[in-house]
Amino acid sequence: QVQLVESGGGLVQSGDSLRLSCAASGITFSRYTMGWFRQAPGRDREFVAGIKWSGTTTSYSDSAKGRFSISRDTAKNTGYLQMNSLKPDDTAVYYCAAADRSLGVPIGALGYRYWGQGTQLTVSS
């Protein structure tokens, strides 16, 4: 059984940093592309960042570029999203997801097979 479990969310202030974690079981992260998505109330789920299964390619949304960094520890089978200079607009439920091997990093939610249950991030102004 595949499980992706996010952790690290919480309430922070504007300008703070936070790191989200995604612990995987039932799959080996080095064989899957990992993505982070977020969904704010009343909005569609949107791509934030992704890292190719090979670890050679990363992709970021425009809002994440320069502030967020995606990484993974294959020994721990855990992925991370380091978020700096947080803004109130970053408030959302953050999800990690795993996609089958592909040529690139899918930016659409349909490209991912497995999903975690999400962790809430709230950024106060």
Side-chain angles (χ1 to χ4, degrees):
Q1 182 181 0
V2 177
Q3 277 194 313
L4 302 178
V5 180
E6 303 95 337
S7 61
L11 174 63
V12 299
Q13 293 188 333
S14 183
D16 282 353
S17 297
L18 198 70
R19 188 178 77 164
L20 303 182
S21 299
C22 175
S25 60
I27 60 171
T28 302
F29 252 155
S30 60
R31 299 177 182 175
Y32 287 82
T33 291
M34 183 186 75
W36 284 95
F37 287 75
R38 68 186 183 186
Q39 188 166 19
R43 301 185 66 175
D44 293 336
R45 190 170 298 190
E46 64 174 355
F47 175 80
V48 176
I51 182 167
K52 189 176 175 180
W53 58 270
S54 59
T56 57
T57 302
T58 57
S59 181
Y60 297 92
S61 66
D62 287 343
S63 62
K65 282 178 186 175
R67 299 190 300 129
F68 294 2
S69 177
I70 189 171
S71 63
R72 63 182 188 180
D73 185 331
T74 54
K76 295 181 178 179
N77 216 28
T78 299
Y80 304 98
L81 183 67
Q82 175 67 43
M83 303 181 290
N84 301 323
S85 303
L86 285 164
K87 307 173 184 178
D89 284 349
D90 295 319
T91 296
V93 177
Y94 283 74
Y95 299 89
C96 73
D100 293 327
R101 287 185 175 189
S102 60
L103 291 177
V105 177
I107 62 173
L110 290 178
Y112 291 80
R113 180 189 293 201
Y114 302 111
W115 290 85
Q117 292 191 327
T119 185
Q120 174 72 45
L121 169 65
T122 302
V123 184
S124 65
S125 57

